[in-house]
Amino acid sequence: MAQSSTTSPAVGRALDILVRLAHAPGPVRAAALARDLGLPRSSVYHMLSVLVDRGFVVYVPGEQAYGLGVTAFEIGSAYLRHEPLERLAQPILHQLARQLGQVVHLGILHGNETVYLLKERPSSGPAAEVSLITDIGVRLPSHLTANGRAILAALPDAQVKALYAKRSDFITRTGRGPRTLTELRRDLEEARARGWAEEVELVTAGLRSVGAAVFDHNSRPVAALSTTWRKLSYPEPDVVGKALQWGADRLTSRISGQAPVSP
């Protein structure tokens, strides 16, 4: 059997740290990581420094502790960004588009942008003719889209803060939308309370969207279903939100995921 390289133990310890953080209910202090993993504190601090630099881990000053960073989130959900997720989601999107008579999307978070993987149009009706910019592969600022907001609302606060560390991150398309982290957090709190996210004319004037998150086996958001329709048209947002929640729950089940338990 080939000898392990001298770097393998360090790689293994770094992965152990990531796994420990993934299973923790919140940020973990370095001392606790060292104790739980049986590692010297100096080694843990060194590995955490590297992981923070690479975006795998984020430091939370208020708690003097560490949590998973954006890069870890992206890699952890990468397997769902391709054909398996799309194949499992397609019949659900088709059913929702037919039921609502509206365009329905499957999207994921990439950095602080929403990336659309699937788009399903109703076969007939006014919504079939609605012109949207949310085609497959299009990227939009996640804080403006209902799809992105649904995912952001289910992320730990530290990850949202890492995604929106600068005022320049708060791009606007129609002159509306949050301009600060405080404003974004308020919008996300409302989405969590409802169970679905909403945007009204933040992406395109005259249109509104609703989105609901899909979760993996660790109850982390990995994607979202969303739909867009004319602002003044039926149905009401709460009717759409409940339909999307049903679809998101069904897709969560199909990928062997589990929605977080409400406190």
Side-chain angles (χ1 to χ4, degrees), residues 104-126:
V104 183
H105 297 92
L106 171 71
I108 59 169
L109 201 65
H110 189 272
N112 61 9
E113 294 181 314
T114 298
V115 181
Y116 294 96
L117 302 183
L118 280 179
K119 177 178 180 179
E120 187 76 20
R121 285 184 176 273
S123 57
S124 61

Side-chain angles (χ1 to χ4, degrees), residues 24 36-37 43 57 69 78 97 114 126 133 139 150 153 164 179 199 211 214 218 221 241 251 256:
D36 295 345
L37 299 175
S43 297
V57 169
T114 298
I133 63 172
R139 299 187 180 202
Y164 292 92
R179 302 297 182 91
E199 67 85 9
V214 177
N218 286 320
L251 183 53
S256 300

Side-chain angles (χ1 to χ4, degrees), residues 21 26-30 57-67:
L21 292 177
V28 182
R29 295 194 174 208
V57 169
V58 62
Y59 179 63
V60 185
E63 301 183 45
Q64 296 184 329
Y66 297 83

Side-chain angles (χ1 to χ4, degrees), residues 178-199:
R179 302 297 182 91
T180 66
L181 185 60
T182 298
E183 292 178 2
L184 176 60
R185 282 172 170 163
R186 183 186 62 226
D187 292 346
L188 299 182
E189 286 174 4
E190 292 176 357
R192 281 192 292 272
R194 284 192 305 258
W196 45 269
E198 181 181 27
E199 67 85 9

Side-chain angles (χ1 to χ4, degrees), residues 10-184:
V11 172
R13 294 185 191 113
L15 292 174
D16 288 340
I17 289 175
L18 292 176
V19 171
R20 174 68 181 83
L21 292 177
H23 289 117
V28 182
R29 295 194 174 208
L33 289 170
R35 182 195 65 230
D36 295 345
L37 299 175
L39 299 173
R41 287 196 185 188
S42 59
S43 297
V44 170
Y45 277 112
H46 173 72
M47 285 183 284
L48 285 170
S49 177
V50 174
L51 292 170
V52 168
D53 287 343
R54 300 298 177 90
F56 284 91
V57 169
V58 62
Y59 179 63
V60 185
E63 301 183 45
Q64 296 184 329
Y66 297 83
L68 288 182
V70 174
T71 304
F73 169 79
E74 291 180 349
I75 289 179
S77 61
Y79 78 101
L80 290 174
R81 296 179 184 172
H82 304 290
E83 187 178 355
L85 178 62
E86 296 173 40
R87 186 170 60 247
L88 292 171
Q90 197 280 328
I92 297 174
L93 265 65
H94 178 76
Q95 183 171 347
L96 286 171
R98 184 174 58 183
Q99 173 186 339
L100 296 170
Q102 298 168 185
V103 179
V104 183
H105 297 92
L106 171 71
I108 59 169
L109 201 65
H110 189 272
N112 61 9
E113 294 181 314
T114 298
V115 181
Y116 294 96
L117 302 183
L118 280 179
K119 177 178 180 179
E120 187 76 20
R121 285 184 176 273
S123 57
S124 61
E129 306 304 322
V130 173
S131 178
L132 301 174
I133 63 172
T134 48
D135 284 324
I136 295 173
V138 166
R139 299 187 180 202
L140 290 172
S142 59
H143 64 285
L144 300 181
T145 70
N147 201 294
R149 286 174 168 228
I151 299 174
L152 292 173
L155 287 177
D157 186 66
Q159 284 186 250
V160 175
K161 184 177 181 179
L163 288 170
Y164 292 92
K166 309 182 299 295
R167 290 187 67 90
S168 58
D169 292 327
F170 293 93
I171 299 168
T172 181
R173 290 181 57 89
T174 64
R176 305 187 183 196
R179 302 297 182 91
T180 66
L181 185 60
T182 298
E183 292 178 2
L184 176 60

